[in-house]
Amino acid sequence: MTFPYSYEFEDGRTVEVQQDAAGLGTTVWDACLVTAKYAEMNLARLAVEGFSGKGTKPPSKKRNTADSSLPLVVVELGCGTGLLGFVGVHTLASLKQSVTLVATDTPRVVGFASTNLASIAASLPEHVSVRAEPFEWTLDGTVPEHIRSIGPVDIVLMSDCVYDPTGFDPLCATLANLCHDNTLIVMGYERRNFDAEVSFFKRFGETFRFRHIKEEEMDPRFRAPDEIYVFLAKKRVDADDF
């Protein structure tokens, strides 16, 4: 049986997604809310500035994000209900350029996200498109054609993807192949068993530079110090990144 969750934006508007407590990944977890609120407050700015102030566009795209002819491509990994991705592109709509969200999860879950996104997409402006696609992480980090065909990914959103140790290596390999040098990763993480989870961050740090968002940068109503963290990350490509 499904039940709703209503997310309220800062301007008072709300969006409702359906949850299913019987399935793993089909409810709105706390880290999703913390990350969504951070994204609502900051993602439009980060899309322009990127991790290091150089923007998020790859060399094949102009870096002028005000150019509405250039699409901004957002991929959500482990999307669950699809709420985080929806909040992200709702915020990016203010940039007045074409935005494409591809929310991804396992074949078991992605249909649930697709239904949610279809029901709330009407509240988005015409220059923003959303869809859900299956995407399973593998040890070799293969990015399937239906994901690669959307073009270079500017932003990766993810929350609560770091909890199962068997998924750590596939997730790191997938991120390494999915991201280009300027892709911005916004990652929400809830600390559960750090002794095991630290292995993810060690491997992740071999390919990506990352920093955590300070408490004062978070929405004061949606934060859990020492429990839930939001990280920004990009590939290590410059000498300063090491």
Side-chain angles (χ1 to χ4, degrees):
M1 184 176 68
T2 63
F3 59 101
Y5 179 84
S6 182
Y7 179 94
E8 183 175 359
F9 290 93
E10 292 299 307
D11 61 9
R13 287 181 290 177
T14 61
V15 63
E16 187 174 280
V17 295
Q18 294 298 314
Q19 307 178 92
D20 183 357
L24 178 65
T26 51
T27 57
V28 177
W29 290 0
D30 290 344
C32 172
L33 295 177
V34 171
T35 311
K37 275 299 176 184
Y38 176 77
E40 182 185 349
M41 296 166 58
N42 296 281
L43 195 59
R45 172 183 60 81
L46 290 169
V48 176
E49 298 177 0
F51 182 91
S52 55
K54 299 178 181 178
T56 58
K57 298 296 179 185
S60 60
K61 293 184 180 180
K62 297 178 183 177
R63 294 182 186 267
N64 179 13
T65 56
D67 185 345
S68 60
S69 67
L70 297 173
L72 191 64
V73 177
V74 182
V75 169
E76 183 180 5
L77 297 181
C79 67
T81 64
L83 178 62
L84 173 58
F86 180 84
V87 172
V89 296
H90 181 280
T91 301
L92 293 171
S94 65
L95 296 176
K96 306 301 182 184
Q97 69 182 106
S98 174
V99 180
T100 296
L101 166 69
V102 180
T104 70
D105 212 312
T106 63
R108 180 187 63 81
V109 174
V110 75
F112 194 81
S114 182
T115 299
N116 272 333
L117 290 174
S119 69
I120 58 182
S123 63
L124 292 169
E126 291 184 354
H127 63 279
V128 179
S129 65
V130 298
R131 71 179 190 268
E133 297 281 359
F135 186 5
E136 295 193 89
W137 314 329
T138 61
L139 283 170
D140 63 4
T142 298
V143 178
E145 175 59 27
H146 67 274
I147 301 298
R148 287 190 289 112
S149 65
I150 65 176
V153 177
D154 298 302
I155 298 173
V156 172
L157 300 175
M158 50 189 284
S159 70
D160 272 316
C161 290
V162 181
Y163 63 91
D164 177 7
T166 64
F168 293 171
D169 285 349
L171 177 55
C172 286
T174 295
L175 286 168
N177 286 338
L178 181 65
C179 298
H180 60 72
D181 290 351
N182 294 320
T183 301
L184 173 71
I185 299 173
V186 182
M187 175 173 61
Y189 158 71
E190 181 171 354
R191 181 172 178 165
R192 294 180 175 87
N193 180 9
F194 189 69
D195 287 344
E197 293 154 358
V198 69
S199 65
F200 166 81
F201 290 100
K202 286 181 177 178
R203 177 164 181 189
F204 182 68
E206 293 173 0
T207 305
F208 294 91
R209 177 185 179 190
F210 62 98
R211 64 179 176 86
H212 81 276
I213 301 303
K214 296 179 181 178
E215 183 179 346
E216 55 267 27
E217 298 178 70
M218 310 284 284
D219 187 311
R221 301 164 300 167
F222 290 86
R223 60 188 182 193
D226 301 322
E227 295 181 25
I228 297 176
Y229 302 83
V230 177
F231 295 97
L232 301 182
K234 70 176 286 289
K235 274 191 169 180
R236 295 182 180 272
V237 292
D238 302 318
D240 292 341
D241 287 337
F242 290 89

